[in-house]
Amino acid sequence: MKVSHRLEAGLVVAIGALVRILPERVAQGMGAGLGWFVGAILRLRRRTVEENLRIAFPEWSEDERRTVALDAYRHLGREGIALLRLGALSADELRARTEIDGWEHVEAAMEGGRGAILLTGHLGNWEVGGAAIALRGVPLDVVGKAQSNPLFDRRIRTMREGFGMRPIYRHEATRPLLKGLREGRAAALVADQNVRSGGVFIPFFGKEAATARGPGVLSTRTGAPPIFVAVHRLPGSRARYQLTIRPIEAEGEVAILEGYHSLLEAAIREAPDQYFWFHRRWKTRP
């Protein structure tokens, strides 16, 4: 435990306490303003964002891409504030803030007794999506990367466990996930980031993207059906979300990943400003 870890965690706790006592509209406005400042003035990762948007939307003008880029920073700021407020929400309130289209696909998968592979992306607010599903009675394992700050890591794990999720670290996920699927649990994976090696190249916005094989392997080896989940933030100053759930109609490891990316791309096109363009998705080349 470093001194810097404690200072960082203390700052987050202080900001979290502030945004929880402020009116939601004000807190969300602060988050959007901070996001704009990071993108427009500090320009952190701005080049990466604009390069990604050029790949994804070559038909757009530079002005259109600039507008969406800044809106993506605002969205990230708002959702950062939403996450700080999330732990203070009751289960009933979080359920009331989420609408679900396609819940029958999750129910059908869970009734089969082989669990389910729930694939989502860095779109809208994926943390809210996991909580919304777990709070509706689905035993859910969520895979995530361990945070470098152990206090942050503990905070995230506590929040997830509070909403009924079972957190699993990515580097040790294989055995717990297989065991959970055999027990009829669902596994939630965010599988839209670049992998340096050992992946497979999948078309994404017309360009091959290096993708982890894990979701396809888990589904084909266990028989757990793959299901796509998109989480979009709904308009308004109050944080509300729409979950759209669709089965991935594909067989075979690569076909499942292709189906997932196709559905994810369509969901991003509905709200491109809500996607996490800050990651170098196409970094690894064939």
Side-chain angles (χ1 to χ4, degrees), residues 8-24 26-27 30 80-88 155:
E8 290 168 355
L11 180 60
V12 170
V13 169
I15 295 173
L18 174 63
V19 300
R20 288 179 182 182
I21 62 174
L22 288 174
E24 186 170 6
V26 174
M30 286 175 53
I81 295 299
L83 285 178
L84 289 174
R85 295 172 60 96
L86 184 60
R155 185 183 180 93

Side-chain angles (χ1 to χ4, degrees), residues 184-247:
R185 299 177 63 85
L189 305 170
V190 185
D192 61 340
Q193 290 199 316
N194 180 74
V195 293
R196 296 180 180 179
S197 62
V200 60
F201 285 92
I202 302 296
F204 188 48
F205 284 96
K207 186 171 183 177
E208 300 290 310
T211 304
R213 297 175 179 270
V217 172
L218 280 173
S219 180
T220 54
R221 290 188 180 179
T222 65
I227 297 173
F228 174 70
V229 182
V231 186
H232 287 109
R233 179 174 175 132
L234 295 171
S237 59
R238 189 167 177 264
R240 296 173 55 252
Y241 303 88
Q242 168 83 41
L243 277 69
T244 304
I245 301 174
R246 297 290 182 265

Side-chain angles (χ1 to χ4, degrees), residues 249-282:
E249 304 287 359
E251 295 183 3
E253 174 188 323
V254 174
I256 288 170
L257 296 174
E258 289 175 341
Y260 158 64
H261 277 80
S262 178
L263 289 167
L264 176 60
E265 180 178 326
I268 293 169
R269 289 183 182 277
E270 291 181 22
D273 59 305
Q274 295 191 25
Y275 190 60
F276 193 82
W277 299 107
F278 312 93
H279 170 73
R280 294 185 65 188
R281 182 64 183 97
W282 294 276

Side-chain angles (χ1 to χ4, degrees), residues 20-215:
R20 288 179 182 182
I21 62 174
L22 288 174
E24 186 170 6
R25 180 188 297 272
V26 174
Q28 293 282 286
M30 286 175 53
L34 178 60
W36 175 88
F37 180 79
V38 170
I41 307 302
L42 300 182
R43 297 183 65 85
L44 296 181
R45 287 191 173 267
R46 183 68 179 271
R47 181 176 297 178
T48 297
V49 172
E50 292 181 351
E51 286 178 356
N52 286 340
L53 287 171
R54 286 191 194 97
I55 293 171
F57 302 101
E59 72 280 9
W60 284 4
S61 68
E62 287 297 322
D63 285 343
E64 288 175 308
R65 284 192 285 268
R66 190 178 302 112
T67 298
V68 170
L70 288 177
D71 285 344
Y73 279 97
R74 292 188 183 95
H75 172 77
L76 187 65
R78 275 194 302 268
E79 294 313 302
I81 295 299
L83 285 178
L84 289 174
R85 295 172 60 96
L86 184 60
L89 297 180
S90 67
D92 288 341
E93 187 171 5
L94 184 56
R95 277 192 291 264
R97 287 173 178 254
T98 52
E99 303 172 4
I100 300 183
D101 174 22
W103 183 249
E104 66 274 11
H105 302 302
V106 175
E107 291 181 324
M110 299 308 291
E111 287 172 1
R114 294 177 295 179
I117 309 291
L118 304 182
L119 291 170
T120 189
H122 290 86
L123 175 68
N125 192 318
W126 51 96
E127 287 287 348
V128 169
I133 290 171
L135 285 174
R136 286 168 169 83
V138 175
L140 186 64
D141 295 333
V142 295
V143 178
K145 182 180 179 181
Q147 301 298 306
S148 58
N149 185 326
L151 294 174
F152 286 167
D153 194 72
R154 188 185 310 161
R155 185 183 180 93
I156 292 173
R157 289 182 66 87
T158 299
M159 180 185 71
R160 289 173 175 170
E161 289 169 348
F163 287 117
M165 297 178 273
R166 184 168 71 178
I168 297 175
Y169 290 127
R170 185 184 303 168
H171 65 275
E172 57 186 24
T174 304
R175 287 187 178 182
L177 286 180
L178 287 171
K179 183 175 184 294
L181 291 169
R182 286 195 295 268
E183 295 170 350
R185 299 177 63 85
L189 305 170
V190 185
D192 61 340
Q193 290 199 316
N194 180 74
V195 293
R196 296 180 180 179
S197 62
V200 60
F201 285 92
I202 302 296
F204 188 48
F205 284 96
K207 186 171 183 177
E208 300 290 310
T211 304
R213 297 175 179 270

